[in-house]
Amino acid sequence: MRRPPLLLRVDRGEGRNYNLFIVIGSLRDKLARTRQAFKQKLGGIFKSGRKREDILDELTEALILADVGVSTTEKLIAGIERATKRSDPAEAVEEALKSELVGILSKYPGRIAFDSAPSVLMMVGVNGGGKTTSLAKLGRRLQNEGKTCLLVAADTFRAAAQEQLAVWGQRLDIPVIKGPYGADPAAVVFDALRHFKAQGFDYMLVDTAGRLHTNTNLMNELEKVKRIIGREIQGAPQEILLVLDASVGQNALHQAREFQKFSGLTGVFLTKLDGTAKGGSVIAIADELALPIKFIGIGEGVEDIMEFSPGQFVEALFA
Ligand code: GDP
């Protein structure tokens, strides 16, 4: 039987428009700084009566300054040029910009592949990006849907990371498996898998290490963890989400390229979109990584998570 997807519940019959309104409203609030930065840079560009070439020149500069990145900006402008050949410049360019943005953000669509239990998710990314917090958010979300979860602290070299996950587990009343300090993460995950299967949990969510300075070791370690999960549960891990911090702007893309050396990423969990002016990086990430953005983090609280929706995001950006 197909289980209900892990989703923002925006389409519930009569409440549909109202719920959607709340989603866009709160996203709009959380994106306030990105939106202000965007608006400041795009500010006077779309005044009517201006020449199309002037609008496009200024728009190019503004998008690059908004952290959209050179290559993605070039694609956006080319798309807008094609779409606005014969129309009234200002309004047409603004509309074309929105639809090009939605197009780029939808380029690699993908929903969380948690249609059936048991499923396993791994969270990877550099330290400080928000892996542990995001894992707790997903655990909470699954819990809210009546699913049972097991959290696994596989960053055995950072005692603080393990403790942090243990604290989340306590707070949310979700069991956490952790190993002794310095243990092989794959061994911790192996033990966790035994427990997971024996107890019949629905979902296992694995936190991993993120020390990029020992890059090769880290990638080997992640491969090993993944291999063991796949050996114990067919088709698992169903999800390997790369956690990227939106507030570091274009640097997030550099980090992502390092992690793309590790095979099997299924999507991005983009964190800290609240309180940053660099949300433009979302567009470059969606364009250049060939990975769907599946979730966004919009705060430090356990409920501050949203499934990513290109339309809602662009709507909130221009609201
Ligand atoms: P990890 O090292 O990758 O596991 O990162 P953590 O989960 O420890 O997060 C690092 C910091 O980022 C913590 O202070 C979190 O509260 C914070 N954080 C995580 N996600 C978000 C988010 O979406 N918004 C904000 N504002 N802070 C976040």
Side-chain angles (χ1 to χ4, degrees), residues 144-156:
N144 283 345
E145 296 191 349
K147 308 293 190 316
T148 54
C149 286
L150 181 66
L151 303 181
V152 185
D155 184 358
T156 51

Side-chain angles (χ1 to χ4, degrees), residues 155-189:
D155 184 358
T156 51
F157 285 91
R158 274 199 317 158
Q162 292 207 324
E163 273 323 304
Q164 195 192 343
L165 195 63
V167 169
W168 274 120
Q170 247 169 7
R171 223 184 274 172
L172 301 177
D173 197 21
I174 299 179
V176 177
I177 300 274
K178 49 182 190 156
Y181 175 75
D184 179 355
V188 176
V189 168

